[in-house]
Amino acid sequence: MMKVAIIGTGYVGLPTGVGLAELGNKVVCVDKIEDKINRLNRGELTLYEDGLEELFKKNVANGMLRFTTNTQTAVKDADIVMLAVGTPPHPLTKEADLKYIYAAAKELAPFLNGYTVVATKSTVPVGTGDEVENIIRQTNPKADFDVVSLPEFLREGFAIHDFFNPDRIVIGTQNDKAQKIMLELYKPFVGKSEFLCVKRRSSETIKYASNAFLAMKIHYINEMADFCEKAGADITEVAKGMGLDSRIGKKFLNPGPGYGGSCFPKDTNAMAQMGKKYGAHLTLIETTIAENDARKIKIGQRVIEAINEHPEGKIAVLGLAFKGGTDDCRESPAIDIIKEMIRYSRNIMVYDPKALENAKTILNNTVHYANSVEEACMNAEVMVILTEWEDFRHLNLTKLKKIMHCPKIIDMRNMLNGEDVKTLGFEYQCVGKKVI
Ligand SMILES: NC(=O)c1ccc[n+]([C@@H]2O[C@H](COP(=O)([O-])OP(=O)(O)OC[C@H]3O[C@@H](n4cnc5c(N)ncnc54)[C@H](O)[C@@H]3O)[C@@H](O)[C@H]2O)c1
């Protein structure tokens, strides 16, 4: 049993805290947002993740998990302090903004008590560990500690599953004592997951290199989809054929409107900036960022072209979240595509099963909001699918054909069966293939 303090109780900190408590550790989660901590202390979850509630309640009830706004009470007894605060993109430079990391390091330093491992779970640029170490040493010269990089690979929406089933656990330190403590914490995963003990700078790089690679893989299949459309091939067949090669793998080969979300755009940008900083230009990543941005504009224009006979006609958009299964609209491709369409049309009605409220805070009154697919599609000139919600696979197309002004669908997630849609009399476009 270890005593763990987690600084930052968000999408990473909370599931990690719950998971570590479930493994038998005494965990205190800290956040500076008082309302968040009050709600958690009342037994209310502050974010939705499958399987989180049951483990949260159980571990609060048995005293293994606590929440506080007071860094001192959490840190003074801890064997391990984890940093899980945000590292958002800097609005001007697009580098990772490290102000929360540095502030947290400064705040926790005076309360370190006995040998403590400070482990950075936040995604941070190479060399941040050195800076955290300097800040703690300057703030508390007597502190006995080591700083370890401990990158987080969980996926939003699958955080609990991923906590208990990690592909790999990366521990970035060359200090034996710190490494031993981290290996002890993750002992329950021995035999289940790969362990990788590496230099701190390698560990910091692994996280960015992985996310940038995944973003490039998405961009690659999107480019292949564009090629297939022009060359008369079918991207679904091509992706299947590629994915059967174990060196390539089946995952992340679904073409669509471009990658988005709270991690890929910010991490690709931060990695590209790091490349510039170190004079090692990361041209593949730079191209991926530029082309992923351009793709969303092209898709917006493709929709506008589809209504060129009735430019005043209504556009129905299905899907606003950056992926299915979440209400998160941060950097959602759907939002950027709509922003492009707004330049030409004021007659756009949008629908999403979970993300309407979040989308409203971004799109405001530039579009109309529908409470159902039918309301969005009523009298529409074209319907566009932008997020892969399972519900959209089972649309009542016979009904929609009757209520739409023009039976036209642009399916940017390849959700529908093109042949069926065409048989019903729709004009149909999708990604990476022509349905005849
Ligand atoms: N969200 C993901 O899916 C994911 C996955 C892997 C890695 N990451 C990385 O993990 C880090 C955290 O991401 P997140 O999505 O959990 O962020 P988040 O915004 O959900 O949570 C961060 C929390 O830290 C708190 N905080 C900031 N400064 C603090 C301080 N000094 N003391 C106490 N609390 C403080 C904030 O109030 C906030 O609640 C980021 O670097 C991110 O890139 C995120």
Side-chain angles (χ1 to χ4, degrees):
M1 199 260 304
M2 296 233 170
K3 291 181 187 157
V4 184
I6 301 183
I7 314 291
T9 310
Y11 282 95
V12 168
L14 182 57
T16 303
V18 168
L20 288 172
E22 177 66 13
L23 291 178
N25 300 289
K26 274 227 169 231
V27 180
V28 186
C29 289
V30 186
D31 207 286
K32 59 180 177 189
I33 302 176
E34 221 165 287
D35 178 56
K36 193 180 256 195
I37 294 301
N38 289 341
R39 283 174 62 195
L40 289 162
N41 277 328
R42 284 199 302 267
E44 233 178 84
L45 276 181
T46 46
L47 54 91
Y48 179 78
E49 280 290 343
D50 236 14
L52 181 64
E53 188 163 12
E54 190 192 331
L55 295 184
F56 162 75
K57 290 203 160 131
K58 178 179 157 197
N59 285 287
V60 168
N62 65 20
M64 298 304 274
L65 181 61
R66 290 191 298 119
F67 299 94
T68 180
T69 53
N70 187 326
T71 307
Q72 178 174 8
T73 48
V75 169
K76 71 178 173 34
D77 297 323
D79 305 307
I80 300 168
V81 179
M82 288 188 182
L83 292 175
V85 299
T87 47
H90 189 282
L92 295 178
T93 64
K94 296 194 172 171
E95 287 169 296
D97 189 343
L98 296 173
K99 66 176 178 227
Y100 300 111
I101 285 283
Y102 293 157
K106 212 169 178 174
E107 281 157 27
L108 70 87
F111 309 120
L112 292 173
N113 181 16
Y115 180 74
T116 314
V117 176
V118 178
T120 307
K121 270 224 153 288
S122 303
T123 302
V124 294
V126 178
T128 304
D130 303 358
E131 197 49 38
V132 168
E133 199 171 300
N134 290 338
I135 290 171
I136 296 175
R137 214 175 291 291
Q138 277 165 19
T139 315
N140 180 359
K142 289 193 186 136
D144 183 14
F145 71 101
D146 281 300
V147 175
V148 170
S149 161
L150 187 71
E152 179 55 65
F153 300 102
L154 64 75
R155 297 163 298 164
E156 240 175 87
F158 300 90
I160 288 294
H161 172 273
D162 290 354
F163 177 88
F164 288 103
N165 303 279
D167 287 336
R168 77 283 212 199
I169 291 161
V170 177
I171 298 170
T173 178
Q174 284 175 300
N175 179 289
D176 287 345
K177 194 170 171 188
Q179 194 188 97
K180 225 171 134 189
I181 288 177
M182 296 316 295
L183 287 172
E184 180 64 29
L185 182 71
Y186 285 105
K187 208 170 163 187
F189 296 107
V190 171
K192 277 175 76 183
S193 302
E194 292 283 343
F195 280 79
L196 194 63
C197 296
V198 294
K199 288 181 190 144
R200 193 161 67 196
R201 282 181 175 242
S202 304
S203 173
E204 290 166 338
T205 306
I206 285 170
K207 174 64 192 176
Y208 280 112
S210 301
N211 269 5
F213 186 84
L214 292 173
M216 284 195 297
K217 197 171 177 189
I218 294 171
H219 176 58
Y220 182 81
I221 204 67
N222 284 340
E223 274 200 338
M224 275 306 138
D226 293 347
F227 172 82
C228 286
E229 260 172 52
K230 295 221 159 86
D234 178 334
I235 192 65
T236 309
E237 295 172 354
V238 171
K240 195 167 181 188
M242 288 168 62
L244 288 172
D245 184 329
S246 60
R247 292 169 304 177
I248 296 174
K250 290 179 187 163
K251 293 180 180 164
F252 278 70
L253 288 181
N254 299 321
Y259 63 79
S262 69
C263 286
F264 287 170
K266 120 178 142 59
D267 293 349
T268 43
N269 273 308
M271 184 82 224
Q273 293 308 319
M274 272 191 275
K276 284 183 190 153
K277 178 177 163 190
Y278 288 101
H281 278 258
L282 300 166
T283 54
L284 285 176
I285 298 176
E286 286 174 10
T287 306
T288 297
I289 295 166
E291 291 299 318
N292 191 63
D293 286 346
R295 181 171 188 81
K296 294 177 280 188
I297 291 173
K298 277 187 216 149
I299 294 169
Q301 286 169 358
R302 181 169 170 176
V303 178
I304 296 299
E305 267 165 38
I307 57 159
N308 63 2
E309 283 171 21
H310 304 277
E312 308 293 316
K314 178 180 175 186
I315 300 169
V317 174
L318 304 191
L320 300 164
F322 85 90
K323 65 176 181 182
T326 175
D327 61 355
D328 197 344
C329 287
R330 286 179 290 175
E331 302 277 342
S332 170
I335 300 287
D336 287 341
I337 292 166
I338 292 167
K339 281 184 178 166
E340 176 63 17
M341 293 178 345
I342 288 165
R343 296 176 58 217
Y344 306 91
S345 169
R346 284 283 149 168
N347 195 1
I348 301 170
M349 188 173 262
V350 302
Y351 169 75
D352 188 287
K354 290 268 189 277
L356 274 184
E357 291 312 312
N358 282 341
K360 278 181 193 168
T361 64
I362 308 170
L363 294 169
N364 302 309
N365 61 359
T366 54
V367 296
H368 306 281
Y369 298 91
N371 289 314
S372 65
V373 170
E374 286 75 20
E375 189 186 350
C377 292
M378 183 66 73
N379 297 323
E381 213 62 40
V382 63
M383 173 234 280
V384 195
I385 300 178
L386 294 179
T387 306
E388 73 279 37
W389 282 106
E390 266 314 295
D391 295 2
F392 298 161
R393 276 190 212 287
H394 314 291
L395 297 174
N396 184 342
L397 292 170
T398 313
K399 187 170 169 194
L400 293 180
K401 175 142 187 283
K402 284 190 193 134
I403 64 172
M404 285 177 73
H405 184 252
C406 184
K408 211 180 262 188
I409 296 177
I410 300 180
D411 177 3
M412 290 311 300
R413 295 284 187 175
N414 289 356
M415 302 284 299
L416 305 178
N417 180 319
E419 278 81 26
D420 292 354
V421 178
K422 283 237 159 181
T423 308
L424 283 169
F426 282 91
E427 237 179 78
Y428 180 70
Q429 295 179 32
C430 59
V431 195
K433 57 185 148 185
K434 284 217 162 61
V435 182
I436 305 155

